[in-house]
Amino acid sequence: MPLDVLGTPEHPTFGLDTFGDVSDRPDGRPVGHPEAIRQVVAEGVLADRVGVDYFGIGEHHRADFAVTSPDVVLAAVAGQTERVRLGTGVTVLSSDDPVRVYERFATLDAVSHGRAEVTLGRGSFIESFPLFGYSLDDYELLFAEKLDLFTKLLEEKPVYWQGTTRPPLEGLQAFPHTESGQLSTWIGVGGTPQSVVRAATYGLPLVLAVIGGSPARFSPLVELYRRALAEAGRPTLPIAMHSPGHVAHTDDQAREEHFWAQRENFARIGRERGWSPLTRADYDAQAGPTGAYFVGSPETVAQKIAWALRTLGLSRFQLKYAVGDLSHERRLESIRLYGEEVIPRVRELLSSAPTG
């Protein structure tokens, strides 16, 4: 598949990400997982309708996130859309079987007429390890070996592979094959140099999860990735960025709607990990001009996305638009504004930027 389908620094693409957060109804009761999943499908359909280039769904195995099988939900979106690319953020390869992951997403690629992508990662939660019978003692080894096998499956040829985490493959193939000849595959990283170099070593595009601090602090990792690609004799590859955000009609409205949902979500996860509570001052700093939260009016968010794209030389920006109990109705409006107003404005800002 031509890499420019995934975006280039000169002509970036724009995406949306969700984890299928379980939000609250107006009466304060949480929606059930089935309804939350149907909401994700409706959000993906709207993303296609308003011109978003990419729609990604994360895999989790917890009560507060509804989606455990992103490929199934993406297939439902595929059946009601025509152009939006469909992927994950991330697929937890460490606790899955690489052959089955490849076959599921190659099938999604078929039913979506070549629009499927998969972003492989270790994930930020560990519930899938005991659920599927894996030991956290093998955390690093599982991802390293399974990624190595997955890259061989991408060649769509008989595979010869041997490792320690699963039985070897001796000349076997995975099916179906894709029409383009290779499933679009990214590696999602949280900011470690080793993960960046590994993505370059395998010649896979990179997704940076920028969820705290300034995107500008990832510049050294971007340079490391590009240098590692060059040293491996590989071509320049796309780099994407995934960051939280919310779009509303005004800056005050967007921040007020997003802050309370973000604070509660941060507190819930923080109780498990020993984090300090998210204060309003901390939030406002992250939502400021150089922070990790892309929150505000369409103009504010567009200006900030354009800055991030230029700063890191990105090929794609992915807004994680859903968080905690932010309602389905507010998420739909955020998607609409993102597609109809933010994306055209970012393209306008980039086209008018001085060159040289």
Side-chain angles (χ1 to χ4, degrees), residues 68-89:
T68 60
S69 302
D71 52 296
V72 177
V73 182
L74 291 167
V77 177
Q80 302 178 58
T81 57
E82 296 181 356
R83 54 170 300 280
V84 67
R85 297 188 63 78
L86 304 166
T88 59

PDB file of all heavy atoms in Angstrom, residues 68-89:
ATOM      1  N   THR A  68     -13.332  -4.990  23.963  1.00  0.00           N
ATOM      2  CA  THR A  68     -12.277  -5.994  24.109  1.00  0.00           C
ATOM      3  C   THR A  68     -11.842  -6.555  22.759  1.00  0.00           C
ATOM      4  O   THR A  68     -10.754  -7.127  22.649  1.00  0.00           O
ATOM      5  CB  THR A  68     -12.755  -7.156  24.991  1.00  0.00           C
ATOM      6  OG1 THR A  68     -13.910  -7.766  24.386  1.00  0.00           O
ATOM      7  CG2 THR A  68     -13.121  -6.681  26.385  1.00  0.00           C
ATOM      8  N   SER A  69     -12.686  -6.397  21.738  1.00  0.00           N
ATOM      9  CA  SER A  69     -12.399  -6.937  20.398  1.00  0.00           C
ATOM     10  C   SER A  69     -12.563  -5.819  19.367  1.00  0.00           C
ATOM     11  O   SER A  69     -13.578  -5.731  18.673  1.00  0.00           O
ATOM     12  CB  SER A  69     -13.350  -8.094  20.075  1.00  0.00           C
ATOM     13  OG  SER A  69     -13.256  -9.116  21.037  1.00  0.00           O
ATOM     14  N   PRO A  70     -11.553  -4.953  19.235  1.00  0.00           N
ATOM     15  CA  PRO A  70     -11.699  -3.824  18.315  1.00  0.00           C
ATOM     16  C   PRO A  70     -11.997  -4.216  16.881  1.00  0.00           C
ATOM     17  O   PRO A  70     -12.741  -3.517  16.183  1.00  0.00           O
ATOM     18  CB  PRO A  70     -10.336  -3.115  18.412  1.00  0.00           C
ATOM     19  CG  PRO A  70      -9.800  -3.494  19.748  1.00  0.00           C
ATOM     20  CD  PRO A  70     -10.276  -4.892  19.975  1.00  0.00           C
ATOM     21  N   ASP A  71     -11.438  -5.331  16.413  1.00  0.00           N
ATOM     22  CA  ASP A  71     -11.650  -5.714  15.021  1.00  0.00           C
ATOM     23  C   ASP A  71     -13.122  -5.982  14.728  1.00  0.00           C
ATOM     24  O   ASP A  71     -13.609  -5.663  13.641  1.00  0.00           O
ATOM     25  CB  ASP A  71     -10.800  -6.933  14.665  1.00  0.00           C
ATOM     26  CG  ASP A  71     -10.994  -8.079  15.637  1.00  0.00           C
ATOM     27  OD1 ASP A  71     -10.654  -7.930  16.830  1.00  0.00           O
ATOM     28  OD2 ASP A  71     -11.465  -9.145  15.216  1.00  0.00           O
ATOM     29  N   VAL A  72     -13.855  -6.537  15.700  1.00  0.00           N
ATOM     30  CA  VAL A  72     -15.281  -6.801  15.505  1.00  0.00           C
ATOM     31  C   VAL A  72     -16.055  -5.484  15.420  1.00  0.00           C
ATOM     32  O   VAL A  72     -16.915  -5.295  14.552  1.00  0.00           O
ATOM     33  CB  VAL A  72     -15.833  -7.686  16.634  1.00  0.00           C
ATOM     34  CG1 VAL A  72     -17.331  -7.899  16.466  1.00  0.00           C
ATOM     35  CG2 VAL A  72     -15.104  -9.025  16.668  1.00  0.00           C
ATOM     36  N   VAL A  73     -15.743  -4.557  16.324  1.00  0.00           N
ATOM     37  CA  VAL A  73     -16.423  -3.261  16.313  1.00  0.00           C
ATOM     38  C   VAL A  73     -16.067  -2.492  15.035  1.00  0.00           C
ATOM     39  O   VAL A  73     -16.927  -1.862  14.404  1.00  0.00           O
ATOM     40  CB  VAL A  73     -16.048  -2.448  17.564  1.00  0.00           C
ATOM     41  CG1 VAL A  73     -16.795  -1.115  17.580  1.00  0.00           C
ATOM     42  CG2 VAL A  73     -16.362  -3.237  18.832  1.00  0.00           C
ATOM     43  N   LEU A  74     -14.809  -2.547  14.626  1.00  0.00           N
ATOM     44  CA  LEU A  74     -14.396  -1.875  13.402  1.00  0.00           C
ATOM     45  C   LEU A  74     -15.081  -2.465  12.173  1.00  0.00           C
ATOM     46  O   LEU A  74     -15.381  -1.747  11.217  1.00  0.00           O
ATOM     47  CB  LEU A  74     -12.873  -1.949  13.247  1.00  0.00           C
ATOM     48  CG  LEU A  74     -12.078  -1.119  14.258  1.00  0.00           C
ATOM     49  CD1 LEU A  74     -10.610  -1.517  14.216  1.00  0.00           C
ATOM     50  CD2 LEU A  74     -12.245   0.381  14.002  1.00  0.00           C
ATOM     51  N   ALA A  75     -15.333  -3.762  12.186  1.00  0.00           N
ATOM     52  CA  ALA A  75     -16.058  -4.371  11.074  1.00  0.00           C
ATOM     53  C   ALA A  75     -17.477  -3.823  10.989  1.00  0.00           C
ATOM     54  O   ALA A  75     -18.011  -3.610   9.888  1.00  0.00           O
ATOM     55  CB  ALA A  75     -16.085  -5.894  11.218  1.00  0.00           C
ATOM     56  N   ALA A  76     -18.094  -3.570  12.151  1.00  0.00           N
ATOM     57  CA  ALA A  76     -19.425  -2.973  12.150  1.00  0.00           C
ATOM     58  C   ALA A  76     -19.371  -1.555  11.583  1.00  0.00           C
ATOM     59  O   ALA A  76     -20.264  -1.137  10.834  1.00  0.00           O
ATOM     60  CB  ALA A  76     -19.993  -2.954  13.570  1.00  0.00           C
ATOM     61  N   VAL A  77     -18.316  -0.805  11.922  1.00  0.00           N
ATOM     62  CA  VAL A  77     -18.146   0.529  11.359  1.00  0.00           C
ATOM     63  C   VAL A  77     -17.908   0.437   9.852  1.00  0.00           C
ATOM     64  O   VAL A  77     -18.454   1.224   9.067  1.00  0.00           O
ATOM     65  CB  VAL A  77     -16.982   1.261  12.053  1.00  0.00           C
ATOM     66  CG1 VAL A  77     -16.746   2.636  11.414  1.00  0.00           C
ATOM     67  CG2 VAL A  77     -17.246   1.417  13.547  1.00  0.00           C
ATOM     68  N   ALA A  78     -17.100  -0.537   9.438  1.00  0.00           N
ATOM     69  CA  ALA A  78     -16.782  -0.691   8.016  1.00  0.00           C
ATOM     70  C   ALA A  78     -18.028  -0.881   7.177  1.00  0.00           C
ATOM     71  O   ALA A  78     -18.131  -0.360   6.059  1.00  0.00           O
ATOM     72  CB  ALA A  78     -15.835  -1.877   7.822  1.00  0.00           C
ATOM     73  N   GLY A  79     -18.997  -1.615   7.710  1.00  0.00           N
ATOM     74  CA  GLY A  79     -20.206  -1.883   6.960  1.00  0.00           C
ATOM     75  C   GLY A  79     -21.087  -0.674   6.745  1.00  0.00           C
ATOM     76  O   GLY A  79     -22.010  -0.720   5.911  1.00  0.00           O
ATOM     77  N   GLN A  80     -20.821   0.419   7.479  1.00  0.00           N
ATOM     78  CA  GLN A  80     -21.647   1.622   7.356  1.00  0.00           C
ATOM     79  C   GLN A  80     -20.842   2.834   6.880  1.00  0.00           C
ATOM     80  O   GLN A  80     -21.343   3.959   6.938  1.00  0.00           O
ATOM     81  CB  GLN A  80     -22.280   1.946   8.721  1.00  0.00           C
ATOM     82  CG  GLN A  80     -23.140   0.827   9.289  1.00  0.00           C
ATOM     83  CD  GLN A  80     -23.702   1.186  10.653  1.00  0.00           C
ATOM     84  OE1 GLN A  80     -24.405   2.189  10.805  1.00  0.00           O
ATOM     85  NE2 GLN A  80     -23.395   0.381  11.652  1.00  0.00           N
ATOM     86  N   THR A  81     -19.628   2.610   6.413  1.00  0.00           N
ATOM     87  CA  THR A  81     -18.765   3.719   5.992  1.00  0.00           C
ATOM     88  C   THR A  81     -18.125   3.397   4.649  1.00  0.00           C
ATOM     89  O   THR A  81     -18.174   2.257   4.177  1.00  0.00           O
ATOM     90  CB  THR A  81     -17.660   3.988   7.029  1.00  0.00           C
ATOM     91  OG1 THR A  81     -16.889   2.784   7.229  1.00  0.00           O
ATOM     92  CG2 THR A  81     -18.247   4.442   8.355  1.00  0.00           C
ATOM     93  N   GLU A  82     -17.492   4.416   4.064  1.00  0.00           N
ATOM     94  CA  GLU A  82     -16.920   4.239   2.727  1.00  0.00           C
ATOM     95  C   GLU A  82     -15.448   4.606   2.620  1.00  0.00           C
ATOM     96  O   GLU A  82     -14.735   4.031   1.815  1.00  0.00           O
ATOM     97  CB  GLU A  82     -17.709   5.088   1.714  1.00  0.00           C
ATOM     98  CG  GLU A  82     -19.157   4.662   1.564  1.00  0.00           C
ATOM     99  CD  GLU A  82     -19.896   5.507   0.541  1.00  0.00           C
ATOM    100  OE1 GLU A  82     -19.289   6.472   0.008  1.00  0.00           O
ATOM    101  OE2 GLU A  82     -21.078   5.215   0.274  1.00  0.00           O
ATOM    102  N   ARG A  83     -14.967   5.590   3.401  1.00  0.00           N
ATOM    103  CA  ARG A  83     -13.624   6.082   3.150  1.00  0.00           C
ATOM    104  C   ARG A  83     -12.705   6.065   4.365  1.00  0.00           C
ATOM    105  O   ARG A  83     -11.489   5.956   4.216  1.00  0.00           O
ATOM    106  CB  ARG A  83     -13.675   7.518   2.601  1.00  0.00           C
ATOM    107  CG  ARG A  83     -14.461   8.488   3.465  1.00  0.00           C
ATOM    108  CD  ARG A  83     -14.289   9.933   3.025  1.00  0.00           C
ATOM    109  NE  ARG A  83     -12.911  10.362   3.094  1.00  0.00           N
ATOM    110  CZ  ARG A  83     -12.304  10.740   4.222  1.00  0.00           C
ATOM    111  NH1 ARG A  83     -12.949  10.710   5.372  1.00  0.00           N
ATOM    112  NH2 ARG A  83     -11.056  11.133   4.193  1.00  0.00           N
ATOM    113  N   VAL A  84     -13.227   6.200   5.589  1.00  0.00           N
ATOM    114  CA  VAL A  84     -12.380   6.327   6.760  1.00  0.00           C
ATOM    115  C   VAL A  84     -11.568   5.050   6.975  1.00  0.00           C
ATOM    116  O   VAL A  84     -12.085   3.933   6.846  1.00  0.00           O
ATOM    117  CB  VAL A  84     -13.222   6.658   8.012  1.00  0.00           C
ATOM    118  CG1 VAL A  84     -14.138   5.503   8.423  1.00  0.00           C
ATOM    119  CG2 VAL A  84     -12.331   7.085   9.169  1.00  0.00           C
ATOM    120  N   ARG A  85     -10.273   5.213   7.267  1.00  0.00           N
ATOM    121  CA  ARG A  85      -9.428   4.065   7.584  1.00  0.00           C
ATOM    122  C   ARG A  85      -9.711   3.625   9.017  1.00  0.00           C
ATOM    123  O   ARG A  85     -10.061   4.438   9.881  1.00  0.00           O
ATOM    124  CB  ARG A  85      -7.951   4.403   7.383  1.00  0.00           C
ATOM    125  CG  ARG A  85      -7.646   4.733   5.916  1.00  0.00           C
ATOM    126  CD  ARG A  85      -6.149   4.869   5.665  1.00  0.00           C
ATOM    127  NE  ARG A  85      -5.449   3.609   5.931  1.00  0.00           N
ATOM    128  CZ  ARG A  85      -5.440   2.569   5.095  1.00  0.00           C
ATOM    129  NH1 ARG A  85      -6.109   2.622   3.950  1.00  0.00           N
ATOM    130  NH2 ARG A  85      -4.777   1.467   5.393  1.00  0.00           N
ATOM    131  N   LEU A  86      -9.552   2.324   9.278  1.00  0.00           N
ATOM    132  CA  LEU A  86     -10.009   1.730  10.528  1.00  0.00           C
ATOM    133  C   LEU A  86      -8.870   0.970  11.192  1.00  0.00           C
ATOM    134  O   LEU A  86      -8.281   0.065  10.591  1.00  0.00           O
ATOM    135  CB  LEU A  86     -11.176   0.782  10.242  1.00  0.00           C
ATOM    136  CG  LEU A  86     -12.362   1.420   9.497  1.00  0.00           C
ATOM    137  CD1 LEU A  86     -13.302   0.352   8.964  1.00  0.00           C
ATOM    138  CD2 LEU A  86     -13.094   2.388  10.408  1.00  0.00           C
ATOM    139  N   GLY A  87      -8.545   1.341  12.440  1.00  0.00           N
ATOM    140  CA  GLY A  87      -7.411   0.708  13.098  1.00  0.00           C
ATOM    141  C   GLY A  87      -7.578   0.620  14.597  1.00  0.00           C
ATOM    142  O   GLY A  87      -8.667   0.810  15.146  1.00  0.00           O
ATOM    143  N   THR A  88      -6.468   0.359  15.279  1.00  0.00           N
ATOM    144  CA  THR A  88      -6.498   0.128  16.719  1.00  0.00           C
ATOM    145  C   THR A  88      -5.507   1.029  17.423  1.00  0.00           C
ATOM    146  O   THR A  88      -4.567   1.539  16.829  1.00  0.00           O
ATOM    147  CB  THR A  88      -6.167  -1.340  17.051  1.00  0.00           C
ATOM    148  OG1 THR A  88      -4.873  -1.674  16.538  1.00  0.00           O
ATOM    149  CG2 THR A  88      -7.199  -2.268  16.460  1.00  0.00           C
ATOM    150  N   GLY A  89      -5.720   1.176  18.714  1.00  0.00           N
ATOM    151  CA  GLY A  89      -4.815   1.996  19.493  1.00  0.00           C
ATOM    152  C   GLY A  89      -4.791   1.594  20.973  1.00  0.00           C
ATOM    153  O   GLY A  89      -5.382   2.276  21.771  1.00  0.00           O
TER     154      GLY A  89
END
